[in-house]
Amino acid sequence: CGMLGCSDSTRSSQNQRAQEVIQNLQTNIARLREEGRFAEAVPLLDDLLKQSANTFSSQSTNLALVLGFTGEVFALAGNYERATNCFVEGINILQKALGPKHPETLVMWEGLGYTFAASGATDQAVGVFGNLVEAYESQHGREAVQVVPYLNELAAQFLAQGKDASAEPLLRRSMHISEREFGSEHPQTSVPMKLLAEICLLRGAHAEAASLLTKCLLISEKHGEGQSGEAADTMLRLGKAKFNMGEFGPAERSEEHT
């Protein structure tokens, strides 16, 4: 472009090339993410953010989607501050462009919630996941399956704060919905089941904990995960529950299994 400016065709060509650069950067970052090479992805994230800022308007939903993508990878790399900044900026754009309860906006909030949870910022995580529960309840109903992941995560954050009384009703509702939608032997159902067992152990309700943990183990075995680390952890907890019930043999076998 000279002093007279660029023609429409020239600007269009430049924009197309810029978007190709962005697409290539995203492809390379996604490959590094899949390979677990998060630290190597960080310099590319910086390039992606710079290129996107120069290509899209500051209130573009395309820029917001790039911010969500970079936020996720920054979080995986352990750079929670930059991840938070990306998600917050993306949320601000999407709330104005699409609305606060649009699916894309809620997905961005979800990324922010998981970033807070991973960084140990449980108060902020509780706030985000609490809002997500309310948003999905208002859209789909209190007993809808769409609410389940956020009930589980909100309960997990309450447990991290030692607020088992707040977590328990959320987990019982999640387990009820999961059993209805997926069945009692589905891996999705074992998520609230295992968290609820943790509450039972804390309260000394060892018989209920043992029952729940036994069901979790059966689910793991049914789906080929009987030798996984998670199954071993469940076995250990089951052994402790049985030990506290006076069933020393099963507890000892559980310890040996792990």
Side-chain angles (χ1 to χ4, degrees):
C1 300
M3 294 181 63
L4 298 179
C6 299
S7 68
D8 289 342
S9 61
T10 300
R11 282 193 293 269
S12 176
S13 177
Q14 289 174 338
N15 187 264
Q16 182 177 353
R17 287 197 296 271
Q19 294 198 38
E20 288 174 355
V21 170
I22 290 170
Q23 182 60 53
N24 288 335
L25 283 167
Q26 287 182 307
T27 299
N28 289 332
I29 292 167
R31 176 178 53 81
L32 292 171
R33 180 183 61 186
E34 290 298 316
E35 295 173 357
R37 297 158 62 188
F38 307 124
E40 294 177 48
V42 170
L44 298 183
L45 293 174
D46 292 327
D47 291 343
L48 176 60
L49 288 171
K50 182 177 180 180
Q51 184 70 48
S52 298
N54 291 333
T55 303
F56 305 122
S57 73
S58 61
Q59 295 302 308
S60 166
T61 55
N62 286 329
L63 177 59
L65 295 177
V66 169
L67 287 164
F69 175 78
T70 55
E72 178 185 343
V73 183
F74 274 130
L76 289 169
N79 196 328
Y80 300 120
E81 182 177 358
R82 295 199 66 183
T84 298
N85 292 338
C86 286
F87 284 125
V88 169
E89 187 177 348
I91 288 167
N92 289 335
I93 295 172
L94 292 178
Q95 286 188 146
K96 292 176 183 177
L98 304 177
K101 293 187 178 180
H102 189 278
E104 293 289 354
T105 308
L106 294 179
V107 168
M108 195 77 71
W109 274 110
E110 182 179 344
L112 180 61
Y114 283 119
T115 298
F116 284 144
S119 66
T122 56
D123 286 341
Q124 292 92 329
V126 163
V128 171
F129 287 114
N131 288 337
L132 285 169
V133 167
E134 292 178 4
Y136 282 101
E137 284 178 342
S138 69
Q139 292 181 5
H140 303 284
R142 180 178 169 81
E143 297 298 311
V145 69
Q146 290 87 348
V147 182
V148 165
Y150 311 105
L151 290 173
N152 293 340
E153 194 57 48
L154 179 57
Q157 296 309 307
F158 278 136
L159 278 174
Q161 295 179 329
K163 298 177 180 178
D164 54 290
S166 297
E168 182 178 358
L170 301 175
L171 293 171
R172 292 197 183 279
R173 175 152 60 110
S174 175
M175 192 165 70
H176 170 74
I177 298 170
S178 298
E179 287 178 334
R180 184 193 69 214
E181 295 292 331
F182 305 117
S184 60
E185 297 182 349
H186 193 280
Q188 291 279 5
T189 306
S190 70
V191 176
M193 195 178 287
K194 187 172 181 180
L195 288 171
L196 186 57
E198 184 176 336
I199 292 175
C200 292
L201 286 172
L202 289 171
R203 293 183 175 178
H206 302 299
E208 185 178 3
S211 175
L212 291 167
L213 291 166
T214 298
K215 291 177 182 177
C216 288
L217 280 176
L218 291 174
I219 292 171
S220 296
E221 291 170 0
K222 180 177 179 179
H223 294 273
E225 299 293 330
Q227 301 301 315
S228 67
E230 184 173 349
D233 177 70
T234 303
M235 179 69 79
L236 179 61
R237 292 172 186 271
L238 175 59
K240 290 178 178 178
K242 286 183 173 290
F243 182 87
N244 287 318
M245 292 166 61
E247 299 182 19
F248 302 99
E252 291 169 359
R253 288 196 293 275
S254 296
E255 297 283 354
E256 291 171 1
H257 181 84
T258 59

